[in-house]
Amino acid sequence: MELLDRYLQAVQFWLPKEQKQDIIAELSEDLRSQIEEKEAELGRKLAESELEAILQRCGSPLAVASRYLPRRYLIGPTLFPLYRFVLGILLLGVVVPRSVAWIAFQILDPADQSYLNMGNMLDTVIYFAFFTTLAFAIIQWTGVQLHVLNYWNPRKLPPAKNPNRIPLFNSSFETGAAVIFNTWFIQVLWPRPVIEIFTAKIMLAPLWQVFFWAFVLLNSLNLALSAANLFRPYWSQSRAFVRLLLDLAGGSVFCLLLKAHLLRGISVPSLSESKAEVLTSTINSLMGKALPGAVIMLVVLFLIGCFRLQRVWKTDRSNGPIAPGVAGITSSMVTGNS
Amino acid sequence: MSPSTDNAERFENLRLELRRGCLSLAVLSQLKTERYGYTLRKALNDQGMEIDEGTLYPLLRRLESHGLLTSEWREEEKRNKRFYRLTPDGKQILKQLAAEWQSINKSLNGIL
């Protein structure tokens, strides 16, 4: 019976102190009854392997003990989706921007490591995860009534969204902004030896002409796309692809512009020649330093464009050309489609 | 894992879930007369309601903590055993649960 005593001792280890004796006495009685019955059936003492089989069937000591314990959660099933959501947002907010910035600096200025210290990235992530988990564990433990879980009203829920629908406001704003920008851009920055803005005279390198026409072309294409979105307010694969290409091209031209050192001189009546020279070189230098930020924006735009494209592609594959969104989900529930 | 193993596993999980809900009723019904754990388990097993010790004893404790059962340790055949029986509340709940079971059973028979 040594094996039985060892088993009971192992179960006892995990039990609450005040119930240990009682539970073990009852479990022991049951197991001894099983053993006696088996021995009576066989007409002999049980071999160790037979006793082992009985204990194996009963379950591991931890599993057996756990059934006597009240069900406890660090974060319960009701709170868990909210916890996962908050944790995801926090981690994304830490990991993605820092990683993108780090990659940009590695590509553009690998010699200078002073901008970002990626060594403490893991520490930061662990701190975020730890304190988020701790906060939710406290909410679970204290039983705080969360407003979002307990006091809700179906009427106050956000309207059902179709992720592929382009809001009218966005298309109108983009169209208006593109018209205003193009008009201003062509009127003010038309390539010529000296560009005058109010009292300031700006001298740009001849290369400006190339950038100028590139911007005019891209902005006109953006205008056409926004106008098309006004009349066809759902993303199609082709328009999502064009938007991705335009964002990439626009961002790339802008990055090249920052590196091009186009500004040759500035002349302002109230500024001495020497100070104007300093201002010119400062602006060129600042534009160069803004390059990593512009590259990050370019990567973000690229990722957003890819995400949009794959979402439209997936929706088209499953539901036809126009995305049904939540409305589609409910209608497919009614018709029995999955 | 093959699809048939997947299905067997799914069936087993659903089967256990289905039986779990019936166990309290089965246990309460068997404790109209006083029994100790092992004989209770045997009685249930003999009637096709298999239940292992790891499930039965925690369930008995829960039912006792809800005031549906009462228990006492007594010596029988030179060994201490814990005997359980229904309390008046337990008898009342058993009646209600049995009626509920009949109703569910009738509905399900109609549905199936």
Side-chain angles (χ1 to χ4, degrees):
Chain A
M1 290 288 181
E2 194 220 340
L3 213 54
L4 177 62
D5 292 335
R6 282 164 64 187
Y7 181 78
L8 292 171
Q9 181 181 274
V11 175
Q12 185 174 313
F13 179 80
W14 301 105
L15 292 171
K17 203 175 175 184
E18 61 279 8
Q19 291 180 309
K20 267 182 188 181
Q21 221 180 346
D22 204 39
I23 292 171
I24 290 300
E26 193 167 36
L27 185 62
S28 159
E29 208 296 310
D30 188 290
L31 290 169
R32 283 177 207 280
S33 295
Q34 284 186 54
I35 292 163
E36 276 177 13
E37 194 179 83
K38 192 80 183 165
E39 284 178 343
E41 190 185 314
L42 297 171
R44 61 170 169 80
K45 289 268 175 204
L46 289 190
E48 192 150 293
S49 61
E50 288 163 330
L51 179 57
E52 199 180 314
I54 290 177
L55 299 178
Q56 285 276 3
R57 193 196 48 76
C58 193
S60 81
L62 182 58
V64 170
S66 70
R67 289 180 191 150
Y68 288 92
L69 303 172
R71 193 161 284 186
R72 286 198 187 112
Y73 300 102
L74 184 63
I75 295 163
T78 313
L79 211 50
F80 190 76
L82 187 62
Y83 163 71
R84 197 174 53 183
F85 177 75
V86 172
L87 193 64
I89 296 281
L90 286 175
L91 292 181
L92 269 179
V94 173
V95 175
V96 173
R98 286 190 64 169
S99 303
V100 172
W102 184 78
I103 291 166
F105 280 118
Q106 287 298 310
I107 294 167
L108 299 165
D109 198 359
D112 193 345
Q113 297 290 320
S114 61
Y115 296 107
L116 286 165
N117 177 10
M118 287 299 281
N120 64 7
M121 173 80 138
L122 186 64
D123 292 351
T124 314
V125 168
I126 289 170
Y127 284 139
F128 266 103
F130 173 76
F131 283 110
T132 310
T133 308
L134 183 67
F136 273 84
I138 290 170
I139 292 170
Q140 178 75 39
W141 185 59
T142 54
V144 170
Q145 300 290 298
L146 281 186
H147 191 84
V148 68
L149 293 176
N150 299 294
Y151 308 103
W152 66 281
N153 181 341
R155 289 178 186 280
K156 289 184 180 168
L157 293 172
K161 281 182 188 167
N162 182 334
N164 291 336
R165 185 176 168 81
I166 309 162
L168 187 67
F169 173 80
N170 289 14
S171 302
S172 313
F173 179 79
E174 282 172 13
T175 310
V179 170
I180 293 167
F181 179 77
N182 238 6
T183 311
W184 173 84
F185 193 78
I186 291 169
Q187 273 189 350
V188 177
L189 297 175
W190 187 274
R192 50 192 184 270
V194 177
I195 293 168
E196 288 186 37
I197 302 175
F198 299 111
T199 54
K201 290 176 180 170
I202 297 168
M203 280 69 77
L204 295 174
L207 191 60
W208 168 243
Q209 197 165 345
V210 177
F211 282 103
F212 175 85
W213 288 113
F215 277 125
V216 169
L217 175 68
L218 288 170
N219 201 42
S220 303
L221 291 172
N222 265 322
L223 174 61
L225 181 63
S226 305
N229 288 346
L230 264 177
F231 297 102
R232 290 175 164 267
Y234 289 92
W235 285 112
S236 65
Q237 285 184 47
S238 53
R239 272 181 291 136
F241 185 63
V242 170
R243 166 48 56 90
L244 173 65
L245 287 183
L246 286 176
D247 285 349
L248 266 182
S252 306
V253 172
F254 185 68
C255 287
L256 289 172
L257 175 77
L258 291 176
K259 267 288 204 190
H261 294 276
L262 286 178
L263 190 61
R264 289 288 161 87
I266 293 178
S267 163
V268 183
S270 58
L271 209 62
S272 67
E273 207 169 298
S274 60
K275 281 188 177 170
E277 266 178 37
V278 173
L279 182 63
T280 304
S281 79
T282 307
I283 290 174
N284 276 329
S285 152
L286 283 176
M287 283 175 77
K289 284 190 174 165
L291 187 60
V295 172
I296 292 168
M297 284 306 297
L298 180 62
V299 172
V300 171
L301 281 175
F302 174 71
L303 292 176
I304 291 172
C306 287
F307 174 71
R308 182 192 297 124
L309 191 59
Q310 70 88 31
R311 190 184 63 207
V312 177
W313 179 74
K314 266 168 84 173
T315 315
D316 282 2
R317 256 180 45 147
S318 55
N319 294 301
I322 292 177
V326 176
I329 294 170
T330 48
S331 68
S332 68
M333 282 164 70
V334 171
T335 55
N337 298 331
S338 58
Chain B
M1 201 180 281
S2 71
S4 62
T5 320
D6 268 356
N7 259 351
E9 200 172 294
R10 272 186 222 131
F11 170 73
E12 185 56 20
N13 287 338
L14 288 170
R15 190 182 72 89
L16 289 175
E17 209 172 290
L18 188 64
R19 286 169 58 92
R20 205 172 296 140
C22 312
L23 284 177
S24 302
L25 178 57
V27 166
L28 288 174
S29 74
Q30 290 302 299
L31 289 174
K32 283 180 203 159
T33 52
E34 193 181 60
R35 290 175 199 271
Y36 65 92
Y38 185 68
T39 52
L40 171 60
R41 207 152 68 76
K42 280 197 76 177
L44 287 167
N45 286 353
D46 290 346
Q47 292 173 83
M49 200 73 189
E50 272 190 37
I51 182 167
D52 59 51
E53 53 282 81
T55 306
L56 177 65
Y57 293 112
L59 175 61
L60 287 169
R61 261 156 212 283
R62 268 204 305 283
L63 294 172
E64 191 178 14
S65 71
H66 292 157
L68 306 180
L69 299 178
T70 180
S71 70
E72 65 171 332
W73 284 96
R74 276 207 314 267
E75 197 179 294
E76 192 184 89
E77 293 165 358
K78 294 181 186 171
R79 279 227 302 267
N80 270 332
K81 290 167 182 175
R82 189 177 194 168
F83 287 85
Y84 293 89
R85 65 172 183 278
L86 284 179
T87 62
D89 277 355
K91 285 178 188 165
Q92 179 65 30
I93 292 280
L94 172 60
K95 227 173 175 180
Q96 290 173 322
L97 281 178
E100 185 63 26
W101 167 255
Q102 296 297 348
S103 158
I104 293 171
N105 202 20
K106 196 175 156 193
S107 304
L108 267 178
N109 277 336
I111 292 166
L112 295 171

PDB file of all heavy atoms in Angstrom, chain A residues 145-165:
ATOM      1  N   GLN A 145     -17.275  46.615 -10.641  1.00  0.00           N
ATOM      2  CA  GLN A 145     -18.276  46.555 -11.710  1.00  0.00           C
ATOM      3  C   GLN A 145     -17.844  47.482 -12.837  1.00  0.00           C
ATOM      4  O   GLN A 145     -17.879  48.698 -12.686  1.00  0.00           O
ATOM      5  CB  GLN A 145     -19.633  47.001 -11.175  1.00  0.00           C
ATOM      6  CG  GLN A 145     -20.148  46.135 -10.040  1.00  0.00           C
ATOM      7  CD  GLN A 145     -20.554  44.752 -10.516  1.00  0.00           C
ATOM      8  OE1 GLN A 145     -21.452  44.606 -11.323  1.00  0.00           O
ATOM      9  NE2 GLN A 145     -19.896  43.727 -10.015  1.00  0.00           N
ATOM     10  N   LEU A 146     -17.421  46.895 -13.931  1.00  0.00           N
ATOM     11  CA  LEU A 146     -16.981  47.725 -15.051  1.00  0.00           C
ATOM     12  C   LEU A 146     -18.193  48.225 -15.834  1.00  0.00           C
ATOM     13  O   LEU A 146     -19.092  47.462 -16.163  1.00  0.00           O
ATOM     14  CB  LEU A 146     -16.086  46.912 -15.989  1.00  0.00           C
ATOM     15  CG  LEU A 146     -14.641  46.711 -15.552  1.00  0.00           C
ATOM     16  CD1 LEU A 146     -13.882  46.015 -16.654  1.00  0.00           C
ATOM     17  CD2 LEU A 146     -13.971  48.016 -15.194  1.00  0.00           C
ATOM     18  N   HIS A 147     -18.177  49.514 -16.112  1.00  0.00           N
ATOM     19  CA  HIS A 147     -19.294  50.136 -16.812  1.00  0.00           C
ATOM     20  C   HIS A 147     -19.582  49.420 -18.134  1.00  0.00           C
ATOM     21  O   HIS A 147     -20.722  49.114 -18.463  1.00  0.00           O
ATOM     22  CB  HIS A 147     -18.955  51.606 -17.061  1.00  0.00           C
ATOM     23  CG  HIS A 147     -20.122  52.396 -17.532  1.00  0.00           C
ATOM     24  ND1 HIS A 147     -21.047  52.947 -16.667  1.00  0.00           N
ATOM     25  CD2 HIS A 147     -20.542  52.704 -18.773  1.00  0.00           C
ATOM     26  CE1 HIS A 147     -21.974  53.557 -17.364  1.00  0.00           C
ATOM     27  NE2 HIS A 147     -21.692  53.433 -18.646  1.00  0.00           N
ATOM     28  N   VAL A 148     -18.495  49.146 -18.859  1.00  0.00           N
ATOM     29  CA  VAL A 148     -18.628  48.557 -20.204  1.00  0.00           C
ATOM     30  C   VAL A 148     -19.282  47.164 -20.158  1.00  0.00           C
ATOM     31  O   VAL A 148     -19.921  46.732 -21.104  1.00  0.00           O
ATOM     32  CB  VAL A 148     -17.254  48.524 -20.900  1.00  0.00           C
ATOM     33  CG1 VAL A 148     -16.315  47.546 -20.229  1.00  0.00           C
ATOM     34  CG2 VAL A 148     -17.387  48.185 -22.356  1.00  0.00           C
ATOM     35  N   LEU A 149     -19.142  46.462 -19.015  1.00  0.00           N
ATOM     36  CA  LEU A 149     -19.687  45.106 -18.926  1.00  0.00           C
ATOM     37  C   LEU A 149     -21.097  45.077 -18.341  1.00  0.00           C
ATOM     38  O   LEU A 149     -21.886  44.205 -18.677  1.00  0.00           O
ATOM     39  CB  LEU A 149     -18.771  44.228 -18.053  1.00  0.00           C
ATOM     40  CG  LEU A 149     -17.391  43.920 -18.605  1.00  0.00           C
ATOM     41  CD1 LEU A 149     -16.595  43.128 -17.590  1.00  0.00           C
ATOM     42  CD2 LEU A 149     -17.502  43.120 -19.894  1.00  0.00           C
ATOM     43  N   ASN A 150     -21.380  46.003 -17.460  1.00  0.00           N
ATOM     44  CA  ASN A 150     -22.615  45.884 -16.694  1.00  0.00           C
ATOM     45  C   ASN A 150     -23.702  46.892 -17.036  1.00  0.00           C
ATOM     46  O   ASN A 150     -24.865  46.637 -16.786  1.00  0.00           O
ATOM     47  CB  ASN A 150     -22.293  45.983 -15.200  1.00  0.00           C
ATOM     48  CG  ASN A 150     -21.365  44.872 -14.774  1.00  0.00           C
ATOM     49  OD1 ASN A 150     -21.732  43.706 -14.801  1.00  0.00           O
ATOM     50  ND2 ASN A 150     -20.146  45.223 -14.434  1.00  0.00           N
ATOM     51  N   TYR A 151     -23.317  48.051 -17.517  1.00  0.00           N
ATOM     52  CA  TYR A 151     -24.333  49.079 -17.765  1.00  0.00           C
ATOM     53  C   TYR A 151     -24.293  49.455 -19.240  1.00  0.00           C
ATOM     54  O   TYR A 151     -23.681  50.440 -19.615  1.00  0.00           O
ATOM     55  CB  TYR A 151     -24.066  50.314 -16.897  1.00  0.00           C
ATOM     56  CG  TYR A 151     -23.910  49.970 -15.444  1.00  0.00           C
ATOM     57  CD1 TYR A 151     -22.651  49.927 -14.866  1.00  0.00           C
ATOM     58  CD2 TYR A 151     -25.013  49.641 -14.669  1.00  0.00           C
ATOM     59  CE1 TYR A 151     -22.501  49.566 -13.534  1.00  0.00           C
ATOM     60  CE2 TYR A 151     -24.863  49.285 -13.341  1.00  0.00           C
ATOM     61  CZ  TYR A 151     -23.600  49.249 -12.786  1.00  0.00           C
ATOM     62  OH  TYR A 151     -23.447  48.887 -11.491  1.00  0.00           O
ATOM     63  N   TRP A 152     -24.876  48.662 -20.073  1.00  0.00           N
ATOM     64  CA  TRP A 152     -24.837  48.955 -21.501  1.00  0.00           C
ATOM     65  C   TRP A 152     -26.258  48.975 -22.052  1.00  0.00           C
ATOM     66  O   TRP A 152     -27.180  48.452 -21.447  1.00  0.00           O
ATOM     67  CB  TRP A 152     -23.978  47.932 -22.239  1.00  0.00           C
ATOM     68  CG  TRP A 152     -24.558  46.564 -22.210  1.00  0.00           C
ATOM     69  CD1 TRP A 152     -24.506  45.679 -21.179  1.00  0.00           C
ATOM     70  CD2 TRP A 152     -25.316  45.936 -23.237  1.00  0.00           C
ATOM     71  NE1 TRP A 152     -25.176  44.546 -21.497  1.00  0.00           N
ATOM     72  CE2 TRP A 152     -25.689  44.670 -22.760  1.00  0.00           C
ATOM     73  CE3 TRP A 152     -25.710  46.319 -24.509  1.00  0.00           C
ATOM     74  CZ2 TRP A 152     -26.440  43.794 -23.520  1.00  0.00           C
ATOM     75  CZ3 TRP A 152     -26.455  45.427 -25.270  1.00  0.00           C
ATOM     76  CH2 TRP A 152     -26.804  44.185 -24.774  1.00  0.00           C
ATOM     77  N   ASN A 153     -26.378  49.614 -23.194  1.00  0.00           N
ATOM     78  CA  ASN A 153     -27.677  49.761 -23.796  1.00  0.00           C
ATOM     79  C   ASN A 153     -27.513  49.487 -25.291  1.00  0.00           C
ATOM     80  O   ASN A 153     -26.658  50.089 -25.932  1.00  0.00           O
ATOM     81  CB  ASN A 153     -28.137  51.217 -23.564  1.00  0.00           C
ATOM     82  CG  ASN A 153     -29.505  51.466 -24.141  1.00  0.00           C
ATOM     83  OD1 ASN A 153     -29.987  50.720 -24.992  1.00  0.00           O
ATOM     84  ND2 ASN A 153     -30.134  52.528 -23.661  1.00  0.00           N
ATOM     85  N   PRO A 154     -28.314  48.571 -25.850  1.00  0.00           N
ATOM     86  CA  PRO A 154     -28.142  48.245 -27.275  1.00  0.00           C
ATOM     87  C   PRO A 154     -28.219  49.480 -28.177  1.00  0.00           C
ATOM     88  O   PRO A 154     -27.575  49.546 -29.214  1.00  0.00           O
ATOM     89  CB  PRO A 154     -29.298  47.293 -27.571  1.00  0.00           C
ATOM     90  CG  PRO A 154     -29.848  46.872 -26.275  1.00  0.00           C
ATOM     91  CD  PRO A 154     -29.402  47.824 -25.212  1.00  0.00           C
ATOM     92  N   ARG A 155     -29.016  50.486 -27.736  1.00  0.00           N
ATOM     93  CA  ARG A 155     -29.162  51.693 -28.558  1.00  0.00           C
ATOM     94  C   ARG A 155     -27.880  52.517 -28.601  1.00  0.00           C
ATOM     95  O   ARG A 155     -27.698  53.336 -29.485  1.00  0.00           O
ATOM     96  CB  ARG A 155     -30.291  52.572 -28.013  1.00  0.00           C
ATOM     97  CG  ARG A 155     -31.663  51.987 -28.234  1.00  0.00           C
ATOM     98  CD  ARG A 155     -32.714  52.887 -27.614  1.00  0.00           C
ATOM     99  NE  ARG A 155     -34.028  52.269 -27.680  1.00  0.00           N
ATOM    100  CZ  ARG A 155     -34.795  52.270 -28.750  1.00  0.00           C
ATOM    101  NH1 ARG A 155     -34.379  52.876 -29.834  1.00  0.00           N
ATOM    102  NH2 ARG A 155     -35.956  51.670 -28.758  1.00  0.00           N
ATOM    103  N   LYS A 156     -27.045  52.332 -27.594  1.00  0.00           N
ATOM    104  CA  LYS A 156     -25.815  53.135 -27.543  1.00  0.00           C
ATOM    105  C   LYS A 156     -24.631  52.435 -28.201  1.00  0.00           C
ATOM    106  O   LYS A 156     -23.517  52.957 -28.198  1.00  0.00           O
ATOM    107  CB  LYS A 156     -25.486  53.471 -26.091  1.00  0.00           C
ATOM    108  CG  LYS A 156     -26.461  54.470 -25.507  1.00  0.00           C
ATOM    109  CD  LYS A 156     -26.081  54.867 -24.109  1.00  0.00           C
ATOM    110  CE  LYS A 156     -27.101  55.871 -23.577  1.00  0.00           C
ATOM    111  NZ  LYS A 156     -26.950  56.089 -22.147  1.00  0.00           N
ATOM    112  N   LEU A 157     -24.862  51.237 -28.715  1.00  0.00           N
ATOM    113  CA  LEU A 157     -23.770  50.530 -29.396  1.00  0.00           C
ATOM    114  C   LEU A 157     -23.433  51.254 -30.703  1.00  0.00           C
ATOM    115  O   LEU A 157     -24.312  51.865 -31.318  1.00  0.00           O
ATOM    116  CB  LEU A 157     -24.180  49.085 -29.698  1.00  0.00           C
ATOM    117  CG  LEU A 157     -24.379  48.194 -28.470  1.00  0.00           C
ATOM    118  CD1 LEU A 157     -24.974  46.852 -28.875  1.00  0.00           C
ATOM    119  CD2 LEU A 157     -23.056  47.955 -27.750  1.00  0.00           C
ATOM    120  N   PRO A 158     -22.164  51.212 -31.136  1.00  0.00           N
ATOM    121  CA  PRO A 158     -21.813  51.908 -32.375  1.00  0.00           C
ATOM    122  C   PRO A 158     -22.538  51.302 -33.577  1.00  0.00           C
ATOM    123  O   PRO A 158     -22.877  50.116 -33.559  1.00  0.00           O
ATOM    124  CB  PRO A 158     -20.294  51.682 -32.507  1.00  0.00           C
ATOM    125  CG  PRO A 158     -19.967  50.589 -31.564  1.00  0.00           C
ATOM    126  CD  PRO A 158     -21.029  50.541 -30.526  1.00  0.00           C
ATOM    127  N   PRO A 159     -22.818  52.134 -34.604  1.00  0.00           N
ATOM    128  CA  PRO A 159     -23.524  51.598 -35.777  1.00  0.00           C
ATOM    129  C   PRO A 159     -22.709  50.506 -36.459  1.00  0.00           C
ATOM    130  O   PRO A 159     -21.477  50.525 -36.404  1.00  0.00           O
ATOM    131  CB  PRO A 159     -23.675  52.823 -36.693  1.00  0.00           C
ATOM    132  CG  PRO A 159     -22.711  53.826 -36.175  1.00  0.00           C
ATOM    133  CD  PRO A 159     -22.440  53.520 -34.751  1.00  0.00           C
ATOM    134  N   ALA A 160     -23.432  49.565 -37.086  1.00  0.00           N
ATOM    135  CA  ALA A 160     -22.758  48.473 -37.797  1.00  0.00           C
ATOM    136  C   ALA A 160     -21.931  49.061 -38.944  1.00  0.00           C
ATOM    137  O   ALA A 160     -22.417  49.913 -39.690  1.00  0.00           O
ATOM    138  CB  ALA A 160     -23.797  47.508 -38.334  1.00  0.00           C
ATOM    139  N   LYS A 161     -20.691  48.620 -39.050  1.00  0.00           N
ATOM    140  CA  LYS A 161     -19.789  49.220 -40.044  1.00  0.00           C
ATOM    141  C   LYS A 161     -19.500  48.256 -41.185  1.00  0.00           C
ATOM    142  O   LYS A 161     -19.425  47.059 -40.965  1.00  0.00           O
ATOM    143  CB  LYS A 161     -18.449  49.561 -39.385  1.00  0.00           C
ATOM    144  CG  LYS A 161     -18.496  50.833 -38.584  1.00  0.00           C
ATOM    145  CD  LYS A 161     -17.116  51.090 -38.024  1.00  0.00           C
ATOM    146  CE  LYS A 161     -17.140  52.252 -37.047  1.00  0.00           C
ATOM    147  NZ  LYS A 161     -15.907  52.323 -36.276  1.00  0.00           N
ATOM    148  N   ASN A 162     -19.334  48.817 -42.358  1.00  0.00           N
ATOM    149  CA  ASN A 162     -18.799  48.049 -43.466  1.00  0.00           C
ATOM    150  C   ASN A 162     -17.381  48.547 -43.687  1.00  0.00           C
ATOM    151  O   ASN A 162     -17.183  49.700 -44.072  1.00  0.00           O
ATOM    152  CB  ASN A 162     -19.646  48.286 -44.718  1.00  0.00           C
ATOM    153  CG  ASN A 162     -19.141  47.460 -45.875  1.00  0.00           C
ATOM    154  OD1 ASN A 162     -17.967  47.103 -45.919  1.00  0.00           O
ATOM    155  ND2 ASN A 162     -20.015  47.169 -46.796  1.00  0.00           N
ATOM    156  N   PRO A 163     -16.378  47.716 -43.390  1.00  0.00           N
ATOM    157  CA  PRO A 163     -15.006  48.210 -43.439  1.00  0.00           C
ATOM    158  C   PRO A 163     -14.572  48.675 -44.825  1.00  0.00           C
ATOM    159  O   PRO A 163     -13.628  49.452 -44.955  1.00  0.00           O
ATOM    160  CB  PRO A 163     -14.170  47.002 -42.992  1.00  0.00           C
ATOM    161  CG  PRO A 163     -15.052  45.825 -43.195  1.00  0.00           C
ATOM    162  CD  PRO A 163     -16.456  46.298 -43.046  1.00  0.00           C
ATOM    163  N   ASN A 164     -15.259  48.204 -45.857  1.00  0.00           N
ATOM    164  CA  ASN A 164     -14.852  48.598 -47.207  1.00  0.00           C
ATOM    165  C   ASN A 164     -15.607  49.818 -47.732  1.00  0.00           C
ATOM    166  O   ASN A 164     -15.396  50.233 -48.861  1.00  0.00           O
ATOM    167  CB  ASN A 164     -15.036  47.420 -48.180  1.00  0.00           C
ATOM    168  CG  ASN A 164     -14.035  46.331 -47.890  1.00  0.00           C
ATOM    169  OD1 ASN A 164     -12.983  46.592 -47.327  1.00  0.00           O
ATOM    170  ND2 ASN A 164     -14.372  45.106 -48.242  1.00  0.00           N
ATOM    171  N   ARG A 165     -16.493  50.362 -46.918  1.00  0.00           N
ATOM    172  CA  ARG A 165     -17.206  51.565 -47.342  1.00  0.00           C
ATOM    173  C   ARG A 165     -16.296  52.775 -47.123  1.00  0.00           C
ATOM    174  O   ARG A 165     -15.614  52.891 -46.110  1.00  0.00           O
ATOM    175  CB  ARG A 165     -18.500  51.726 -46.545  1.00  0.00           C
ATOM    176  CG  ARG A 165     -19.321  52.887 -47.034  1.00  0.00           C
ATOM    177  CD  ARG A 165     -20.659  52.999 -46.313  1.00  0.00           C
ATOM    178  NE  ARG A 165     -21.263  54.278 -46.626  1.00  0.00           N
ATOM    179  CZ  ARG A 165     -21.927  54.555 -47.728  1.00  0.00           C
ATOM    180  NH1 ARG A 165     -22.097  53.604 -48.633  1.00  0.00           N
ATOM    181  NH2 ARG A 165     -22.422  55.742 -47.957  1.00  0.00           N
TER     182      ARG A 165
END
